[in-house]
Amino acid sequence: MYGFSRFYKYPLPLLFLSLWLVAVFLLSSKPAHSQHAAISNKQNYQSTLLAKTIMPSTLTQNVRKTVLENGLTVLTKEVHTAPVVTVQVWYKVGSRNEEPGVNGIAHQLEHMMFKGTLNRPIQFGRLFSALGSDSNAFTSYDQTAYYGTVERNKLKALLVLEADRMQNSQIEPEQLASEKRVVISELQGYENSPEYRLNRAVMQAVFPNHAYGLPVGGTKADVEKFEVEQVQKYYRNFYSPDNAVLIIVGDFQTANTLETIKEVFSKLPRGQGVGRLGAPTEWGLGERGDGAGVISSSSPSSPIILREPGAGRLLQAVYPLPDANQPDVPALDVMDYILTEGRNSRLYQALVESGLASEVTASVTSLRESGWYEVLVTAGSKQDLKKIDSVLSSAIANVAEKGVTSEEVERAKTQLTADVILSNRDITSQAMQLGNDETTVGDYRYTDRYLAAVRLVKPRDIVAVINKYLKKGARTVGFFEPTQKRTTEVGDKPDSAQTTENFSPGVPVLPSEVGKYLPPVDLATDAIAQVLPQEFKFTNGLRLLLLPDRSTPTVTLSGHIQAGTEFDPENKAGLAAFVADNLLNGTKSKDDLTIAKLLAQRGASLDFHAYREGVHIEGDSLTLDLPILLEILADVVKNSTFPAKELELHRQQTLTDLQLELDEPSEVARRIFVQSIYPKKHPLHTFPTEESLQQIQRQDVIDFKAKHYRPDTTVLALVGDFDLDKVRSLIKNEFGNWEVRGQAPTLKYPTVSMPEKIVSVNPVLPGKVQAVTYMGYTGINRYDPRFHAALVLNQILGGDTLSSKLGAQVRDRQGLSYGIYSSFQAGKNAGTFLIEMQTSPEDSSKAIASTRQILQQIHQQGVTALEVETAKRTLISNYNVSLANPEELIDRILMNEVYGLDKVELHSITDKIQKVTLTQVNQAARELLHPDQIVVVTAGPSVLAEKSMK
């Protein structure tokens, strides 16, 4: 997948860390002299403490660098908090090494690296899945990376596989032809996004003579022309040990592991290809402009204007910046936080608070040869882009003229430092940080140096970098002006900064064949420490789960309130989300800016999100700031006041967001799919519309909050570096006086019958080039006795495109879809069985027909014992790996409590999966798969209107 989340709110080292998490299905957002002196001094001390004391212990203090005789750089870091390990190989080559005509070849090769080797002629996705490895890959501007996280007993197996494909990958004509179709399908998905198309046009204008101006994933025209010899030559030139970095982080012994690495990799020869050290092509060098490390760019005096089908107006401004090694980078990142991070930020105040824009995001990108500062503004309804551009320029000029306060600078530095720490809580992220630093700037210790420099940034430095780089004449601006309105929807914004793959198996291979190609591995799974959360219940009914974890100086908070969208009135759909989204807009004692500032001063985050069965609370902080996070959480859930001005501003932003959503095929398909399954009056049938959002009044919000936000329907869970008794006492002090009034509201979901036949719906979205299909019907709930068998069945069918039947047939063998997945969405109430795929419009009917054939085959013939055992092993391994990530761990703890499951479910679920039998899986297939009673919704180009499902 060509992941697209350009607007991360982190410095360069965190680009990849923030992006790979999104693949799970997931991204980010930010603000009297003597009075502030004490605060600034405290913040400065805190920032210094974080950067100087905490960071080395979590990033590079225990890192060991070794260079083998063949040039392979090896970075190892022992982390013994869980019996898992991550293995990553980063090649110093990316789209920077391309030119027009071969744009996208690095990305195409990345896909081919999963197609098998001379020694193992099998899709590597199958091998990774059989090992239970959480594996993936991406291509970026400066590098291509492959990564997998597994239980520690499978470390050597991963090393063997990576060494094999470093030298022996097969690139055959038939495989290339199939995978080119997959890549083109992927690119078509990005083309659906107006933001992607605008960014591509602007970047080409900013860097007309450098590969940074090319889209990382390539173009359809170039991909179609790739020949086997071209891709093979690129592979020989760049894939060799002396152009690669191997990173291992996790639970292993360094000395023994280094011996294994030498045994596995030392026999690989150095590369012989031209450009193997990652040098750019001559076309890519460009001339240097003002400021060290800034590549000269084209800056049109008038905006680039795209008038194309779409929904919202967009403005994008790009300013060339220096490369990552230049000394101005830390000040530029601090500047970005001051300008755009949070409600107190300068551009938020100028554009969003004024109603001109519904959103403003920005990022500093600092790469090997150059960089840029990118600002994206989503215009408010009926707002003029020229006016927005004028206000944007004036706001930046005002900062340059009048300067920034010490308080703003210290707050931004603390936020930035905390973001680095909070983004390095799991071993995969820590390895990503090391790999990115080593391949981009040539020093795995870069982030430590960077944070030390951030600590020294002063207000005058912010003014200096704005005057140096954010000159109006240096920027390139693009406007996206939609040519028509639509009644359709949008999902995640794509990101041209890197690709993130989701590979599935290739030509169908019997499960018995997979074992033949697996490297030797001890199949005995390491015992996972049976540490369980402590559970408490207060007199007002609030439930609390606490699990101390001293591995990092952070705390992760997750919570649930039974106040989800299922309670939306039919004529006021969107009310539950309205309440959740406005909780932080003010309380009886604090206004919205005060709340935002309190969080920002400590680099903490707090967010509320309404979904079907509840409101999900997410919070993060450093250990020393947990009391503040809990104080604000308690204040907003008990005392939120919903000021009228902020509510109306939120309404306008929500209306704009709805317009954008109704321009995205995935959201259109999802909405129509759900409404085709669930009848009117069902809690799941209702979706927000412009009319329903306009109907919501302030009193509705206040009443909903009073009725549904209650301690006896609230669960809080915390994992992190804290003392059990102290945190329990803190929470009791903050939440103990939260009163219960009356009985908690309840809902009874009506029974929904299966469709009597195939229901096919094809909503048309003009201007889109990729189709998105949703297929399915009503499913099961979490308490269904078939739940664990359904997990195994789904794993075989399409739960993991690394090893699924759907992936093997529809994606790899036929090349019809970039991504195809299935899931049983089981909650307190019956959810849906869902298959989602993305296809070229001309392939949609064939892909749907192939999917139904696979469903029919499994429904009638069942699956094999070996498939069941392989799926069980994969599920159990993946689950054990997930427990090493604090965010995944805490969500599992939380939802087990929400569903009323015993807390031992955290570990006993693997035993339940292990006990699933072939008979149970095949019975579930007969009872839960219904290929002839299915709803199929395909949203996309108009060509679909002429096609019928076969």
Side-chain angles (χ1 to χ4, degrees):
M1 183 170 70
Y2 183 48
F4 189 88
S5 298
R6 226 175 22 263
F7 298 103
Y8 53 93
K9 189 47 62 184
Y10 306 106
L12 162 71
L14 295 181
L15 168 62
F16 304 105
L17 310 191
S18 60
L19 294 182
W20 75 269
L21 293 171
V22 181
V24 183
F25 210 41
L26 161 343
L27 278 181
S28 85
S29 191
K30 341 181 225 183
H33 211 84
S34 60
Q35 241 183 335
H36 299 307
I39 295 174
S40 296
N41 288 338
K42 179 181 177 183
Q43 290 170 334
N44 193 37
Y45 169 76
Q46 182 185 40
S47 181
T48 302
L49 176 68
L50 298 178
K52 207 168 185 178
T53 305
I54 296 175
M55 288 311 301
S57 68
T58 57
L59 284 183
T60 64
Q61 187 179 61
N62 301 320
V63 176
R64 177 170 172 179
K65 181 175 181 176
T66 307
V67 180
L68 303 188
E69 290 185 5
N70 60 7
L72 178 67
T73 297
V74 181
L75 300 177
T76 55
K77 179 182 177 183
E78 294 185 27
V79 179
H80 299 290
T81 55
V84 296
V85 62
T86 188
V87 174
Q88 304 185 6
V89 179
W90 290 58
Y91 293 93
K92 300 174 187 177
V93 58
S95 64
R96 179 180 61 87
N97 306 86
E98 298 172 357
E99 59 186 8
V102 291
N103 181 206
I105 195 168
H107 178 219
Q108 183 70 64
L109 176 57
E110 178 217 321
H111 277 242
M112 299 305 297
M113 288 286 285
F114 285 79
K115 288 295 189 179
T117 66
L118 297 174
N119 303 321
R120 295 176 174 86
I122 181 176
Q123 227 282 356
F124 264 42
R126 285 188 173 273
L127 301 177
F128 292 134
S129 182
L131 289 172
S133 175
D134 181 9
S135 295
N136 217 317
F138 63 79
T139 301
S140 189
Y141 294 102
D142 291 334
Q143 58 273 109
T144 305
Y146 304 82
Y147 56 97
T149 303
V150 294
E151 296 159 308
R152 64 186 173 198
N153 60 315
K154 295 156 185 176
L155 169 59
K156 184 174 181 180
L158 275 190
L159 293 174
V160 169
L161 292 177
E162 291 297 350
D164 190 15
R165 65 176 173 175
M166 182 179 285
Q167 186 175 42
N168 302 313
S169 285
Q170 288 189 116
I171 302 170
E172 304 294 342
E174 184 178 352
Q175 292 177 325
L176 179 60
S178 172
E179 204 62 27
K180 280 163 61 173
R181 292 185 69 181
V182 171
V183 169
I184 289 169
S185 172
E186 179 182 348
L187 297 179
Q188 288 175 325
Y190 312 138
E191 289 289 336
N192 278 355
S193 166
E195 181 190 331
Y196 173 84
R197 302 198 301 271
L198 178 63
N199 175 260
R200 185 180 60 187
V202 172
M203 289 298 291
Q204 286 175 341
V206 173
F207 296 109
N209 300 310
H210 193 282
Y212 287 160
L214 299 174
V216 173
T219 63
K220 179 181 178 183
D222 282 1
V223 171
E224 285 178 330
K225 293 183 294 187
F226 290 154
E227 299 291 341
V228 168
E229 294 75 16
Q230 285 179 298
V231 182
Q232 288 174 337
K233 181 179 178 181
Y234 197 87
Y235 174 61
R236 290 193 301 270
N237 282 354
F238 293 109
Y239 279 61
S240 58
D242 50 327
N243 198 42
V245 179
L246 170 66
I247 305 111
I248 304 175
V249 176
D251 191 19
F252 62 91
Q253 297 299 319
T254 300
N256 294 340
T257 299
L258 284 175
E259 288 303 313
T260 301
I261 291 169
K262 291 174 184 176
E263 173 193 337
V264 172
F265 282 91
S266 61
K267 57 180 176 278
L268 303 183
R270 284 178 175 268
Q272 302 297 319
V274 177
R276 60 188 170 84
L277 296 180
T281 62
E282 284 189 17
W283 173 82
L285 289 173
E287 295 183 3
R288 302 283 171 170
D290 294 335
V294 179
I295 297 174
S296 61
S297 64
S298 171
S299 301
S301 55
S302 57
I304 298 167
I305 300 177
L306 291 188
R307 291 188 174 91
E308 297 177 353
R313 293 182 176 86
L314 302 172
L315 178 150
Q316 188 170 59
V318 176
Y319 303 79
L321 295 181
D323 62 75
N325 266 317
Q326 298 303 318
D328 287 335
V329 170
L332 285 163
D333 282 323
V334 176
M335 172 207 75
D336 175 37
Y337 273 66
I338 292 170
L339 290 181
T340 64
E341 180 64 24
R343 297 184 180 189
N344 291 285
S345 64
R346 298 297 188 95
L347 296 186
Y348 186 95
Q349 288 292 310
L351 295 170
V352 180
E353 286 290 339
S354 67
L356 286 172
S358 69
E359 185 180 21
V360 56
T361 53
S363 64
V364 173
T365 299
S366 304
L367 301 179
R368 184 166 174 163
E369 293 184 15
S370 187
W372 55 89
Y373 185 53
E374 187 174 350
V375 181
L376 179 72
V377 182
T378 304
S381 179
K382 301 178 181 177
Q383 296 295 334
D384 181 66
L385 290 176
K386 290 182 179 178
K387 182 178 180 181
I388 290 173
D389 189 25
S390 175
V391 172
L392 171 66
S393 297
S394 297
I396 294 174
N398 184 60
V399 177
E401 180 184 345
K402 298 183 179 179
V404 295
T405 67
S406 295
E407 181 190 3
E408 285 179 297
V409 173
E410 295 306 324
R411 184 165 67 239
K413 287 158 61 174
T414 301
Q415 285 178 284
L416 197 159
T417 305
D419 280 344
V420 174
I421 298 170
L422 291 166
S423 296
N424 276 281
R425 285 173 291 180
D426 64 277
I427 60 171
T428 304
S429 298
Q430 291 176 41
M432 286 270 184
Q433 185 85 67
L434 296 171
N436 184 62
D437 287 353
E438 183 69 20
T439 56
T440 302
V441 298
D443 183 4
Y444 71 88
R445 296 161 298 189
Y446 172 80
T447 298
D448 289 336
R449 293 191 289 108
Y450 165 88
L451 286 171
V454 166
R455 195 165 72 241
L456 301 175
V457 172
K458 305 295 183 191
R460 63 177 178 271
D461 300 322
I462 305 303
V463 174
V465 293
I466 290 177
N467 284 323
K468 185 174 182 180
Y469 298 109
L470 269 58
K471 299 173 184 175
K472 191 171 182 179
R475 68 182 190 153
T476 301
V477 178
F479 290 173
F480 181 84
E481 295 276 9
T483 56
Q484 64 188 88
K485 287 187 176 180
R486 282 206 264 300
T487 55
T488 37
E489 317 186 279
V490 355
D492 296 334
K493 298 174 181 177
D495 182 349
S496 62
Q498 74 173 53
T499 68
T500 305
E501 305 307 338
N502 287 291
F503 290 101
S504 57
V507 177
V509 176
L510 292 174
S512 57
E513 289 290 289
V514 176
K516 185 168 70 176
Y517 298 116
L518 274 176
V521 63
D522 177 8
L523 294 180
T525 305
D526 284 300
I528 304 296
Q530 301 288 304
V531 180
L532 295 174
Q534 294 294 307
E535 188 174 352
F536 306 97
K537 186 173 182 178
F538 298 111
T539 55
N540 59 7
L542 185 142
R543 288 166 286 165
L544 174 64
L545 297 113
L546 300 177
L547 183 61
D549 175 7
R550 308 289 184 182
S551 59
T552 64
T554 65
V555 178
T556 303
L557 179 150
S558 189
H560 172 94
I561 302 175
Q562 192 175 314
T565 60
E566 61 187 3
F567 289 109
D568 275 350
E570 185 178 359
N571 64 333
K572 294 178 182 177
L575 178 58
F578 233 70
V579 175
D581 294 343
N582 284 278
L583 288 171
L584 292 166
N585 276 345
T587 66
K588 296 174 182 177
S589 60
K590 304 177 187 72
D591 63 17
D592 59 333
L593 294 182
T594 301
I595 293 171
K597 186 180 291 187
L598 284 170
L599 291 169
Q601 283 171 345
R602 290 154 179 85
S605 68
L606 181 63
D607 192 30
F608 300 85
H609 171 69
Y611 69 104
R612 184 182 80 183
E613 291 186 341
V615 171
H616 187 214
I617 306 168
E618 293 181 301
D620 294 296
S621 79
L622 301 168
T623 299
L624 56 97
D625 295 318
L626 179 59
I628 296 295
L629 180 64
L630 292 174
E631 177 191 327
I632 293 174
L633 172 60
D635 193 21
V636 298
V637 297
K638 293 189 298 185
N639 304 313
S640 50
T641 54
F642 305 107
K645 179 184 175 183
E646 280 71 24
L647 273 180
E648 191 52 42
L649 180 62
H650 177 74
R651 187 198 312 277
Q652 297 309 314
Q653 293 170 343
T654 304
L655 288 168
T656 300
D657 291 343
L658 179 62
Q659 269 189 328
L660 296 172
E661 287 176 359
L662 294 175
D663 184 51
E664 177 62 28
S666 63
E667 282 298 312
V668 174
R670 183 180 69 89
R671 177 179 287 219
I672 295 176
F673 171 75
V674 170
Q675 292 188 325
S676 298
I677 292 174
Y678 300 103
K680 288 183 179 180
K681 305 300 181 182
H682 191 284
L684 302 188
H685 183 86
T686 305
F687 281 84
T689 63
E690 182 176 349
E691 293 73 25
S692 72
L693 293 172
Q694 294 286 12
Q695 289 288 325
I696 297 172
Q697 302 301 312
R698 179 170 180 264
Q699 193 59 48
D700 298 322
V701 175
I702 293 171
D703 292 345
F704 188 97
K705 160 69 167 49
K707 183 178 181 180
H708 296 283
Y709 281 66
R710 313 162 48 94
D712 54 342
T713 63
T714 298
V715 182
L716 296 179
L718 287 87
V719 171
D721 183 18
F722 55 75
D723 179 270
L724 203 70
D725 293 332
K726 288 181 180 178
V727 170
R728 180 188 176 188
S729 179
L730 268 174
I731 292 176
K732 185 175 181 180
N733 289 339
E734 295 293 349
F735 292 89
N737 63 351
W738 192 7
E739 296 180 1
V740 180
R741 293 187 176 92
Q743 294 295 314
T746 58
L747 269 179
K748 184 172 177 58
Y749 280 36
T751 301
V752 178
S753 58
M754 294 287 295
E756 294 182 1
K757 58 182 181 179
I758 298 171
V759 177
S760 180
V761 186
N762 297 138
V764 172
L765 285 78
K768 302 302 180 183
V769 295
Q770 187 195 57
V772 176
T773 296
Y774 274 48
M775 305 173 63
Y777 36 76
T778 54
I780 59 176
N781 62 30
R782 179 61 179 83
Y783 316 107
D784 194 296
R786 299 167 295 184
F787 175 75
H788 299 96
L791 286 180
V792 177
L793 171 64
N794 186 70
Q795 179 68 20
I796 296 168
L797 173 66
D800 177 1
T801 52
L802 293 169
S803 57
S804 69
K805 286 179 173 287
L806 289 176
Q809 180 69 15
V810 180
R811 184 196 188 277
D812 259 25
R813 187 179 183 190
Q814 299 182 48
L816 298 176
S817 172
Y818 165 60
I820 182 165
Y821 323 88
S822 67
S823 63
F824 285 93
Q825 300 174 339
K828 279 187 172 183
N829 297 283
T832 56
F833 168 67
L834 169 67
I835 297 172
E836 180 186 1
M837 71 178 86
Q838 306 91 40
T839 60
S840 297
E842 59 270 20
D843 291 335
S844 58
S845 294
K846 187 175 181 182
I848 291 166
S850 293
T851 299
R852 286 190 55 239
Q853 287 173 3
I854 292 170
L855 289 174
Q856 189 77 49
Q857 180 187 51
I858 298 177
H859 173 75
Q860 292 178 345
Q861 302 173 21
V863 297
T864 68
L866 188 53
E867 285 176 318
V868 169
E869 291 307 309
T870 302
K872 284 160 51 174
R873 189 166 61 245
T874 299
L875 285 169
I876 291 169
S877 297
N878 286 340
Y879 182 84
N880 289 336
V881 168
S882 76
L883 295 185
N885 184 313
E887 291 185 345
E888 293 191 52
L889 170 62
I890 196 170
D891 282 341
R892 294 185 188 280
I893 290 171
L894 175 76
M895 295 314 295
N896 284 345
E897 178 66 25
V898 169
Y899 294 145
L901 306 173
D902 194 291
K903 63 181 180 180
V904 300
E905 179 74 11
L906 183 65
H907 298 294
S908 65
I909 187 172
T910 55
D911 294 331
K912 294 174 183 176
I913 291 171
Q914 183 59 50
K915 291 175 181 176
V916 170
T917 66
L918 173 64
T919 300
Q920 290 171 328
V921 174
N922 284 334
Q923 181 179 347
R926 290 190 297 272
E927 296 174 356
L928 300 178
L929 299 184
H930 305 284
D932 297 322
Q933 295 174 281
I934 193 167
V935 172
V936 183
V937 178
T938 303
S942 57
V943 65
L944 297 172
E946 303 168 12
K947 293 183 176 287
S948 60
M949 190 181 70
K950 298 183 176 139

